[in-house]
Amino acid sequence: MTLPIVLEQPKRIFHPAVGVALMAAVVLATLVAGLTLGPTPAVVASAWLSMAACAGYAVSGST
Amino acid sequence: MVLSSSVWRGISKYSFCVGLVAGGLLSAAVLLVVGSLVRIVAPVPVWLGLMAVWFVVMALRELGVVSFPMPQNARLVPESVFRHGPVLGPFEFGYEMGTGVRTYVTSSLPYLLVPMIALFSTPLTAVLAGVGFGLGRSLMTLMNLSYDSDGGWDFAWGRHQRKLQTALLLMFASSAIWIGMAALG
């Protein structure tokens, strides 16, 4: 008797590129706000948050 | 890969993510304190110039144009970190990982983030940087665990690594420009 092997299909919505796209949206919003308003405290705060998030995500291979 | 372990059930992954953010906060606080002593040696424009040069060096390393080792804790995290149970175990694991000094550092971006925090952060922005670093790692963790249970996310990352890291490098630079402009006043 042959047992069927059921392979789990990856959920593409969680593909690594989607995470990068999510952060790109934040970075783009920061860029637009910065170009419009200049380096206001809110823009700088968003820049710190998104910059550090990029660094955190980039070390993805180490876990 | 520890993420492919079967211990990632229920609350464990969220506990791990909270630990990641806490670890990021710890490192940012240490860098802020150490950096506040270093940054008085030279004025902001000098640090910005040095940071720009350092960025070029690290960008070339990130893109694979040049290759040289950087300091890292070149060890894998053992699964024994889960000995403290399904909540505290992952929290401790995440806390250690979140500091960025517990295991391999597979990207050059943290080596850019460290001097940015040390030289240009305020207490508030250091907190934001620590939280951001933890959130970035948390996003990766949650997406990895949700993708499949067979290490497929890591495979997909490896397959597109150069393009993804290039995008992250450009986004890092885009954000860093605003921080540099604010530092110049």
Side-chain angles (χ1 to χ4, degrees):
Chain A
M1 180 180 157
T2 305
L3 293 173
I5 298 173
V6 180
L7 294 174
E8 181 188 5
Q9 290 297 312
K11 299 182 180 72
R12 300 283 175 197
I13 190 71
F14 299 111
H15 190 276
V18 176
V20 174
L22 279 174
M23 281 186 288
V26 178
V27 170
L28 192 62
T30 304
L31 184 67
V32 170
L35 289 171
T36 309
L37 307 169
T40 62
V43 169
V44 174
S46 178
W48 272 105
L49 200 61
S50 53
M51 181 182 73
C54 287
Y57 197 84
V59 288
S60 291
S62 63
T63 310
Chain B
M1 290 290 169
V2 176
L3 283 182
S4 60
S5 168
S6 59
V7 300
W8 295 102
R9 300 269 159 73
I11 198 171
S12 292
K13 57 187 176 185
Y14 302 112
S15 178
F16 176 72
C17 292
V18 172
L20 284 172
V21 173
L25 280 169
L26 173 70
S27 288
V30 170
L31 288 168
L32 174 68
V33 171
V34 174
S36 65
L37 299 173
V38 174
R39 67 178 75 171
I40 57 176
V41 174
V44 169
V46 172
W47 289 127
L48 280 174
L50 290 173
M51 192 67 220
V53 173
W54 183 240
F55 182 88
V56 172
V57 173
M58 284 293 105
L60 291 173
R61 183 176 183 266
E62 186 76 351
L63 298 174
V65 178
V66 296
S67 177
F68 54 89
M70 288 294 291
Q72 64 176 341
N73 193 356
R75 292 184 298 174
L76 286 175
V77 179
E79 293 204 20
S80 62
V81 295
F82 295 104
R83 64 190 179 281
H84 294 308
V87 176
L88 287 180
F91 176 82
E92 180 193 337
F93 179 30
Y95 187 72
E96 293 181 19
M97 293 286 292
T99 62
V101 295
R102 182 64 173 87
T103 186
Y104 294 89
V105 180
T106 55
S107 166
S108 296
L109 294 192
Y111 298 112
L112 289 168
L113 182 63
V114 165
M116 285 294 290
I117 296 172
L119 297 173
F120 305 114
S121 71
T122 63
L124 175 62
T125 57
V127 167
L128 290 170
V131 170
F133 187 74
L135 289 178
R137 298 204 78 160
S138 299
L139 179 64
M140 179 278 292
T141 302
L142 296 175
M143 293 186 75
N144 191 318
L145 293 171
S146 302
Y147 189 71
D148 65 13
S149 57
D150 204 24
W153 197 94
D154 298 308
F155 180 73
W157 173 270
R159 208 171 40 174
H160 304 287
Q161 187 168 6
R162 185 65 70 210
K163 282 179 279 187
L164 295 173
Q165 288 190 319
T166 301
L168 290 167
L169 178 69
L170 292 173
M171 292 193 291
F172 187 102
S174 171
S175 299
I177 285 171
W178 297 113
I179 294 165
M181 287 177 66
L184 281 173

